[in-house]
Amino acid sequence: MGTWDIGPFDNDTAADFADELDEAALEEREAMIRGVLKRAAGAADFLGVSDSERAVGAAALVVAQHPDGDPACSNYGPSEPLPELPADLRMLAVDALDQVASKRSELAELWAEAANWPKWRQDITRLRNVLDPPIPPQREALFEV
């Protein structure tokens, strides 16, 4: 696994995906991101490392365009501009991240054996929470019983 840190593009596979995006025509980039997310979200049995790493990078690009998201700034991420990504990619990215972090993910298995497992898991959760924020606990009853 050519991984040097926990960031979305801090591995060979995601960095290669960023290069592919940079080399593609602007109008092809959304379809490439969508395809990566669909492949990961739709994984039936087991999600391989490469598909997982690409999905995390693609999800980070969706997060970067969310009003509450942080830029996907990385030396290894895409350097060319992306088109405005449609809002429907947000839930697809959530589904892909859920698969990446699941017990059916080879990448999650590999990270579970690493010392940085909690940090990696926290980063995946952070990306997911931007796209689908958790509902905070209610302090007051919404209605009387």
Side-chain angles (χ1 to χ4, degrees):
M1 180 165 74
T3 300
W4 50 88
D5 206 351
I6 65 162
F9 292 97
D10 292 346
N11 60 76
D12 291 338
T13 306
D16 289 346
F17 175 57
D19 289 342
E20 292 167 18
L21 286 169
D22 285 342
E23 293 170 6
L26 180 65
E27 61 273 6
E28 295 172 354
R29 294 178 189 154
E30 177 199 330
M32 292 171 68
I33 292 167
R34 183 179 301 277
V36 164
L37 294 173
K38 275 186 175 181
R39 193 167 29 262
D45 291 335
F46 201 70
L47 184 61
V49 171
S50 293
D51 286 339
S52 295
E53 290 173 333
R54 292 168 67 92
V56 172
L61 297 174
V62 174
V63 167
Q65 290 191 3
H66 188 281
D68 296 329
D70 294 324
C73 58
S74 167
N75 293 334
Y76 307 103
S79 55
E80 296 297 319
L82 294 173
E84 186 67 31
L85 299 173
D88 73 301
L89 283 183
R90 293 176 184 168
M91 289 316 295
L92 186 58
V94 167
D95 293 343
L97 290 170
D98 286 347
Q99 289 288 352
V100 166
S102 77
K103 292 180 181 181
R104 296 185 313 265
S105 167
E106 185 180 12
L107 184 61
E109 278 184 11
L110 291 172
W111 274 106
E113 298 169 2
N116 284 344
W117 160 251
K119 194 174 177 185
W120 177 82
R121 181 67 184 210
Q122 182 180 25
D123 199 54
I124 297 297
T125 301
R126 179 190 58 79
L127 291 172
R128 189 193 187 288
N129 286 348
V130 169
L131 299 171
D132 188 26
I135 299 172
Q138 296 291 322
R139 296 182 190 256
E140 300 176 13
L142 295 176
F143 51 89
E144 289 186 37
V145 183

